[in-house]
Amino acid sequence: MILDYYCTDHEIVCCRACISDKHRLCQNVLPLELASNDVRKSALFNDVMEDMTHLITTLNALDNNRQSNLQSIEKSKSTITKQIRAVKSKFLKQIDDLERELTTTLSSLQRKHEIEINKQKQEISQVLVNVIENKNEMDFLSDHGSKNQLFIFLRQQVTNIHSPEVKIQQIVSDSQEFDITFDEKKDVKLKSFGSLSEYVQQCQVQYKPRKCQHAQIKAEPMKYIIGFEKNTGLKLKIGETYALQDVTVTNDNKLLITNAASSDTKLYVYRDCKDYETEITFSSAPHCVAVIPGTDRAVITLHNEKSIQFINTTKMTKGDTVNVGFLCFGIAAGRDRIYVGGQGGIIKTLDTNGTLLKTIEQGSNCIFFMVYNDLQDQLFVRYHDKLLCIKLDGTLLYSKDVSGVAGLTLDRQRNIYFGDFGTSIIQRMSSDGENYEEMLNQDNDINRPYGMCFNNDFTKLFIINNRHESVSVFKCK
């Protein structure tokens, strides 16, 4: 039937049959002619037109974004193809160099043995000529000489024949049979020139309904850290003895640094991550510190007391102390859980009030540092010479051999940054443990690094450096 009515109660266009069936109790049913008066001047007309224009603009921007992405991938393919060919050329050059080296060595060995053998052939020829001459003379005397002559010659040869015998024995003794063989390496395999990595980020075009946001904007892309630039180091408080262990940043951008020096067992606080503000003194040396996300609370480990202690990061006052029953060093925190690790590979899970929920035994080595990956619900655990990734139930996902002991931290994409106290380097590893690269080393003034952390917007990296005595600051590029 013809749609000739409009029910304002239900905001729907309807026909006469619908009115009698579904809109009998509605008080605001209008004829379509009345409802449509001045529709071209109505706010509804303007809203719908603007919505459509908004949709068209967004779709065009999205289409342009997709086209740009296709072009970017094509450009990347061309660049990577050239890189692969360059790597191939390097390998072929190495193969040619190896061939020349083997050929040169072969020629050298051949010449050496030829000289020695030819020298022995000359000696053999000289002895052979002398023996043949004597043989011919004896044949002649046997046929044409007298008995006396033959007897005299034979007596001479009894004496003379000893000399070639000695020479022959010497030649035989000195002679060796030479041969040259080629031992081909059967297990030579070129498995890969390199590897390809995919980096995925959210499309920069976002859509929000026009009524929520009238101007379509591009989303700020998630910045990927490509390197670091040395910044001015943190100016530490003068007159203190330092054995710095760990560093972290609070939700209101305060830098917390633990000091385990026996004369200054403290937690230092630097506002805006640069200026000294205050300090908290503890009864024993603190090791690691972690901020509970979304709160004004932090928690530290006091390994000598087998305890953890809470801190109010707004007032910078000490809170409750909880005995965890073992020597504890590493600590990490999520929004509703605290994870404490230490001696014997033990990890204890507590709620944010310090109540024990679960105990995990992960190996037998001491856990010095921990960090919680909130995106995958995983823990990264640092032993001496080992870096482990485990699930929250203790299941081991993977283990990596690393050198020494130093701190851990995560960037925005949840890549793992870990230090090496022994070789003075900082490395970055993807969260799946497949790819890692060296980011900082002694050329960047890294010297025996330990604890480390990023600030809240991931623009700076703070590293306890120089054998626990300073805090170096690096700008992220």
Side-chain angles (χ1 to χ4, degrees), residues 61-322:
L62 189 58
D63 184 67
N64 291 336
N65 176 273
R66 298 295 83 201
Q67 182 62 33
S68 175
N69 200 184
L70 284 174
Q71 294 171 352
S72 174
I73 293 173
E74 182 65 28
K75 184 178 179 180
S76 296
K77 178 187 175 184
S78 176
T79 301
I80 293 171
T81 300
K82 291 179 181 178
Q83 291 174 332
I84 292 172
R85 289 173 180 167
V87 174
K88 175 186 174 183
S89 297
K90 290 180 182 178
F91 276 113
L92 291 177
K93 183 179 181 302
Q94 289 180 6
I95 293 172
D96 290 339
D97 291 343
L98 289 173
E99 180 187 14
R100 281 193 294 273
E101 182 180 347
L102 283 172
T103 303
T104 300
T105 304
L106 177 62
S107 299
S108 176
L109 289 173
Q110 181 191 13
R111 284 194 300 272
K112 182 181 77 171
H113 296 318
E114 280 182 348
I115 291 171
E116 190 169 348
I117 292 173
N118 285 330
K119 179 181 177 182
Q120 291 174 341
K121 283 175 60 64
Q122 289 178 355
E123 293 176 350
I124 292 170
S125 296
Q126 291 175 359
V127 175
L128 182 61
V129 167
N130 293 333
V131 172
I132 290 175
E133 287 178 354
N134 292 334
K135 172 69 167 54
N136 291 337
E137 187 174 352
M138 189 174 70
D139 288 341
F140 178 81
L141 290 175
S142 175
D143 293 336
H144 305 287
S146 66
K147 293 179 182 179
N148 293 340
Q149 290 175 325
L150 181 59
F151 179 80
I152 293 171
F153 182 79
L154 288 174
R155 297 307 303 171
Q156 290 174 343
Q157 292 306 309
V158 169
T159 303
N160 294 339
I161 203 169
H162 179 68
S163 177
E165 284 180 345
V166 171
K167 188 65 176 178
I168 290 172
Q169 288 178 349
Q170 178 186 346
I171 294 173
V172 170
S173 174
D174 293 342
S175 296
Q176 294 176 323
E177 294 186 4
F178 301 105
D179 195 8
I180 303 172
T181 62
F182 176 61
D183 296 326
E184 179 184 355
K185 289 191 175 182
K186 302 297 183 183
D187 59 346
V188 175
K189 293 180 181 179
L190 184 60
K191 294 182 179 180
S192 173
F193 283 0
S195 62
L196 298 174
S197 300
E198 292 181 275
Y199 295 100
V200 181
Q201 65 180 18
Q202 187 64 37
C203 175
Q204 295 187 26
V205 177
Q206 289 186 340
Y207 174 73
K208 293 184 179 180
R210 185 188 59 83
K211 292 180 181 179
C212 297
Q213 183 171 318
H214 290 279
Q216 188 71 14
I217 62 171
K218 286 188 177 181
E220 184 69 19
M222 188 179 291
K223 187 176 180 181
Y224 189 83
I225 297 172
I226 60 173
F228 297 93
E229 177 183 342
K230 184 71 181 296
N231 198 5
T232 304
L234 191 70
K235 188 176 181 180
L236 297 177
K237 183 183 177 184
I238 299 174
E240 301 282 303
T241 303
Y242 290 114
L244 306 178
Q245 303 296 310
D246 198 15
V247 58
T248 192
V249 177
T250 66
N251 294 313
D252 56 353
N253 205 38
K254 293 178 182 178
L255 199 66
L256 307 181
I257 308 170
T258 59
N259 187 20
S262 58
S263 59
D264 294 296
T265 53
K266 299 175 180 179
L267 177 76
Y268 297 104
V269 182
Y270 287 77
R271 63 179 176 275
D272 299 325
C273 292
K274 60 180 181 179
D275 298 318
Y276 172 81
E277 179 175 298
T278 187
E279 61 192 44
I280 302 173
T281 302
F282 295 93
S283 55
S284 65
H287 190 265
C288 283
V289 57
V291 171
I292 301 174
T295 72
D296 60 351
R297 302 170 72 209
V299 60
I300 67 167
T301 53
L302 303 172
H303 60 275
N304 288 332
E305 299 180 10
K306 300 182 179 180
S307 300
I308 62 173
Q309 186 159 12
F310 290 92
I311 300 163
N312 185 307
T313 58
T314 301
K315 300 177 181 179
M316 286 303 161
T317 56
K318 291 186 288 187
D320 295 336
T321 299
V322 177

Side-chain angles (χ1 to χ4, degrees), residues 35-47 49:
S36 63
N37 276 343
D38 297 323
V39 65
R40 290 182 177 82
K41 299 178 182 179
S42 67
L44 175 64
F45 177 81
N46 291 331
D47 286 346
M49 287 296 291

